[in-house]
Amino acid sequence: MRPAGLGRDRVLVVGLGHVGLTLAVCAAENGFTVQGVDSDLVKVELLTAGCSDVEDVTDERLGAVLRSGRFTVRHVDRTTEVLPRFDVAIIATPTPLTQGLPDLSSVVAGSRTVGRTLQRGGVVVLESTSFPGTTERIVARIIEEESGFTPSEDYYLGCSPERIDPGNRLHTFETTPKLVSGTDAEALAVVSAFYARLV
C-alpha cells in the first residue's frame, strides 16, 4: 500500500480534550504539522487565542506551537465537508458513559470527518475509550461509508487506548508506555512507528 505522505508528517487530531490536545501539542513539538479540530466553538476560540483548558498543556506550550505554525485549530460540525489533507488521523473524541455504556456519538461524528478527507495509504487511530470491537465494527464501517476505503486494502487502521492521568507529573503522556494495535501486521508497524516519535 502506498502511503498518503512520504514522511507521514501531517497529523489530524479530532477532539481537543485532555487526550487530543496533549497529543496534538506533543506531536507539534516533535516536528509534525498538526491540525486540531473540535465541535466546541468556544474551546476552539480559546485554544486559538493560546488559552489551554487542559492541565497538562500550559498556555506557554500551546502558544509556542501555535506561533511556530506547526499547530492550527479549527471548528468542525456536521456541515464541514473536507479538511486539509493528513497522513495520520487520531480520533480522540469523548465517550461519556450513558447507562453504563460509552456514548459513541462523537466517535461516529469524528469517523465521518476523517472518512471524508482520508486518502489511500493514510493512517487512522482510535484513542477514544470504548469497548472491544469499536475500531473495526464502527470506525471502519463509517469510514467505508464516507470514502469507500477498507482497512488493510486502502488505509492503515489501529487503536491506541488513551493512557493519560491529568495532572500527574510523574507519569506524563511522554513517559507512560503506550499500547498500540493494528488491523494487520503492517498497520501495527505503521501505528507503532508514529507513536515511537512521541512517547
Side-chain angles (χ1 to χ4, degrees), residues 112-153:
R112 292 202 185 283
T113 297
V114 168
R116 286 195 289 267
T117 310
L118 179 64
Q119 295 177 275
R120 185 168 276 104
V123 183
V124 179
V125 182
L126 177 67
E127 282 232 8
S128 303
T129 301
S130 186
F131 47 80
T134 302
T135 306
E136 293 182 287
R137 283 187 236 135
I138 296 176
V139 174
R141 175 180 56 80
I142 292 169
I143 287 176
E144 185 169 6
E145 289 174 1
E146 295 293 332
S147 66
F149 292 165
T150 57
S152 299
E153 294 181 16

Side-chain angles (χ1 to χ4, degrees), residues 102-118:
D103 177 354
L104 299 184
S105 57
S106 292
V107 171
V108 169
S111 299
R112 292 202 185 283
T113 297
V114 168
R116 286 195 289 267
T117 310
L118 179 64

Side-chain angles (χ1 to χ4, degrees), residues 13-31:
V13 178
V14 182
L16 295 173
H18 277 345
V19 177
L21 183 62
T22 302
L23 186 149
V25 169
C26 180
E29 289 172 338
N30 281 278

Side-chain angles (χ1 to χ4, degrees), residues 6 20-21 40 53 64 74 85 87 89 93 104 106 115 119 121-122 129 132 144 157 165 169 184 186-187 192:
L6 293 176
L21 183 62
D40 184 335
D53 62 347
R74 178 176 173 179
R85 291 183 174 181
D87 304 310
T93 53
L104 299 184
S106 292
Q119 295 177 275
T129 301
E144 185 169 6
L157 177 63
D165 183 10
R169 299 300 177 209
D184 59 19
E186 191 174 6
S192 297

